[in-house]
Amino acid sequence: MTDAADGDGDGPATLRVLGLTKTFGDNIVLDGVSLSVNKGKTVCLLGPSGSGKSTLLRCVNWLERPDQGAIFLGPTRVGFRNAGSRIPMTARELAQVRARMGMVFQHFNLWPHLTVLENIIEAPMHVLRRPRDKAVHTAETLLKRVGLIEKRNDFPSRLSGGQKQRVGIARALAMEPEVLLFDEPTSALDPETVGEVIAVMRTLSTEGRTMLVVTHEMQFARETADEIVFIDRGRIVEKSAPQLFFACPHTERARQFLQRYSVR
Amino acid sequence: MTSADLISLLQGAAVTVALSLAAIVIGVPLGLGFAILVWRRIPLVQLIVKTYVSLIRATPLVTLGLLIYFALPAVGLQTGPVTAAILTLAINTTAFNCEIWRAGLMDFPKDQLDSAQAFGMSWPHTFRRIMLPQLARTCLPALVNEMTLLLKGSPAIAVVGIVDVTRAAVRIGANTYEPLPPFLLATALYAAIVFVFVRAQRWLERPSKLDEVRV
Amino acid sequence: MIRDFSIVFENVDRLLIGLMNTLVLSTSGLLLSLLIGIVFAAALMADNRFVVRLTRALVDTMRCIPFLLLAYLVYYALPSLGLNFNNWTSGLLAIVVYNAGYMAEILRGVWAQLPRESIDAGSAFGFYGWNLYLRIILPQVVLAAIPMIGNQSIQVIKDTAFLMIIAVPELTHAASSIQSKYYVPFAAFISAVALYWAMCSVIEAGVRRVERIAQVRR
């Protein structure tokens, strides 16, 4: 399983998406999308609103069922029992694969009935079956990292958007995932709290986490990404290194997109 | 079960429906009247109505029936079972209807009242021509829902000696030593009656063509 | 009249035993019906259409039957199928069966309104099946349903009064027996009403208090 479809060489692909197609009724949201994220790399998915980026991310952990194509997390085919067959995974098998990916949502999706600490230890304890004291220890370490240890016993409703998202990131990290999926993590935030979330993501990237990030934060993408994947109308239009993409995009559509979003 | 049993069950059903309807006919307008008194914040009356609603909300129908049936004669008011039954159901449903109407009144857009006043309409006129038609529409679903609840509570009037469906079923069961058939039949009768009300409620809640025209 | 109330007061122990029975019946009935309602709500929201239809039919039928009729069914009709319960157990059984349908419907309604996001997060983090339901969905559903569960509790307390008809020694039964012995109808039943009112007021106060706690967790 090392023959990554379009892996660029350095290191085996942690996540591979092959020919992914998804339609909602007559609307083709994803049209044969392929990409891969190598271990330790950060790939940023850019594209106009409604281009299918979020759907792609939701397909990766099977929150949406793709119509065609395949997704591999390491050697594991997501959604099906093995690479070739069409036997769907059981709910249990699917849950096990999902637990290997850490998802950070646009609207945080914290569990409102649990405190900050409980949000972080919930899945490690009740999905991964870790003992409580270990889960708490990990959670506290992560909370210190995102600068929210003093909020450990607060409920999400008491937090600002930026704080919620930092808890969301800590919650994803607590699963020790093979890949982190970020679905527009700063789009629902007030402008003044975007920075604190971006800062956390930047450290994660530099310490070598494997990340697939859907974002509109151009500066983050330019400075942090190892690769930019530009999607428009469900298709990959460009795939290149950030320096290249931002300096001289190949396509007219990417040029227009950059003009609209990079006016800072 | 004989055909005579069947007839007595149907008679019981008729009694259930008739007494419940009587209570509804009394309770719906009376509830509206009480609601207006609370809504207009008439000092002492408001307090009395609120206490009444709060007490009735907490009082079981059976207990209320017994109180009325036994206590009224004690203070010199002779009542037959039918009067006691209607009184019990009416006192109960009036309180709940009052709550429904009151909620409707509280939600009524104030600017409409202001404009009616600006046009020099009298209060009774404003109420009849402006408020009531709209209130009736918004409150009807909840009122019908309360009617089904009343219907389901109505077996309580057996304690004052009324033979309603449930009581008729018990009697037949006691006579034939086979209680299951009459109970099942009684269940079917209730289901049929409740079904009519539920359908009425859905029909009332349907989007009206009038609404489209008005918007 | 004051003499009447003093007679009731002399027999207050009877009334209190009735009150105890009403409280124990209502509380245990509520808890059990909530437990069954939790299972039924899951069945109503299941993927399997057959399970959904069967449960829906059961719940809808339960909600059409008057409580007293159901109590009679349990008390008189089940013995003819060879199932015998005493009055007290019959009463409790009737309360549980009757309210399970209401609880299921309350929980299902709230569940259907629940924002998709936190459930999505549950799935994304590897929760599924009962683990997802009991740990992620249900706590949020119950928190949101507290006022409705409170209303249902008041309904249950009032329904227990029907059980006097099958001779369960609850509060109204106690008041009725005091009245028939001493002929003090007004004092006996008004005392019962006051106690019912007190119970409801406690529930309402409790709901308000729990609501304040729940507010933070939404």
Side-chain angles (χ1 to χ4, degrees), chain B residues 54-55 57-60 62-63 66-67 70-71 74 96 152-153 155-156 159 166-167 170 179-180 183 186-187 190 194, chain C residues 63-66 68-69 72-73 76-77 98 102 151 154 158 161-162 164-165 172 179 183 185 189 193 196-197 200 204:
Chain B
S54 165
L55 269 176
R57 194 169 118 80
T59 305
V62 175
T63 322
L66 289 168
L67 178 66
F70 288 107
F96 290 98
K152 285 202 297 176
V159 295
T166 307
R167 191 85 197 132
V170 176
L180 201 54
F183 281 145
T187 305
Y190 271 111
V194 171
Chain C
R63 301 199 311 152
C64 270
I65 303 177
L68 181 61
L69 190 61
Y72 275 137
L73 263 168
Y76 287 120
Y98 184 73
Y102 282 91
N151 277 337
I154 292 176
K158 291 197 290 175
F162 276 111
M164 74 155 283
I165 298 175
T172 299
Q179 109 80 18
Y183 195 65
F189 292 123
V193 166
Y196 281 113
W197 186 77
C200 291
E204 278 169 352

Side-chain angles (χ1 to χ4, degrees), chain A residues 128-189:
Chain A
L128 304 178
R129 307 269 162 215
R130 300 250 166 84
R132 186 186 170 87
D133 50 347
K134 221 175 143 191
V136 170
H137 180 75
T138 311
E140 283 174 342
T141 312
L142 289 169
L143 277 175
K144 279 179 201 147
R145 280 202 54 187
V146 298
L148 286 172
I149 188 68
E150 77 281 8
K151 299 278 183 191
R152 62 198 293 268
N153 293 324
D154 282 2
F155 285 91
S157 64
R158 292 280 166 86
L159 303 182
S160 73
Q163 292 171 331
K164 282 183 194 168
Q165 197 57 296
R166 283 186 279 157
V167 174
I169 293 171
R171 178 175 68 166
L173 289 172
M175 300 295 280
E176 292 165 18
E178 293 165 38
V179 59
L180 282 164
L181 309 172
F182 290 84
D183 183 9
E184 302 200 24
T186 56
S187 298
L189 296 180

Side-chain angles (χ1 to χ4, degrees), chain B residues 122-202:
Chain B
S122 69
W123 152 247
H125 188 215
T126 309
F127 181 75
R128 250 186 320 117
R129 305 289 304 170
I130 310 289
M131 296 187 74
L132 194 55
Q134 301 183 59
L135 269 186
R137 270 196 70 89
T138 51
C139 294
L140 254 178
L143 290 171
V144 176
N145 185 45
E146 160 56 21
M147 289 171 202
T148 62
L149 291 177
L150 179 73
L151 219 58
K152 285 202 297 176
S154 67
I157 55 181
V159 295
V160 304
I162 297 282
V163 183
D164 70 327
V165 200
T166 307
R167 191 85 197 132
V170 176
R171 280 191 175 179
I172 297 164
N175 290 337
T176 57
Y177 297 105
E178 276 193 0
L180 201 54
F183 281 145
L184 291 181
L185 204 60
T187 305
L189 282 170
Y190 271 111
I193 299 167
V194 171
F195 182 73
V196 170
F197 278 86
V198 170
R199 283 313 290 265
Q201 188 180 347
R202 290 224 176 108

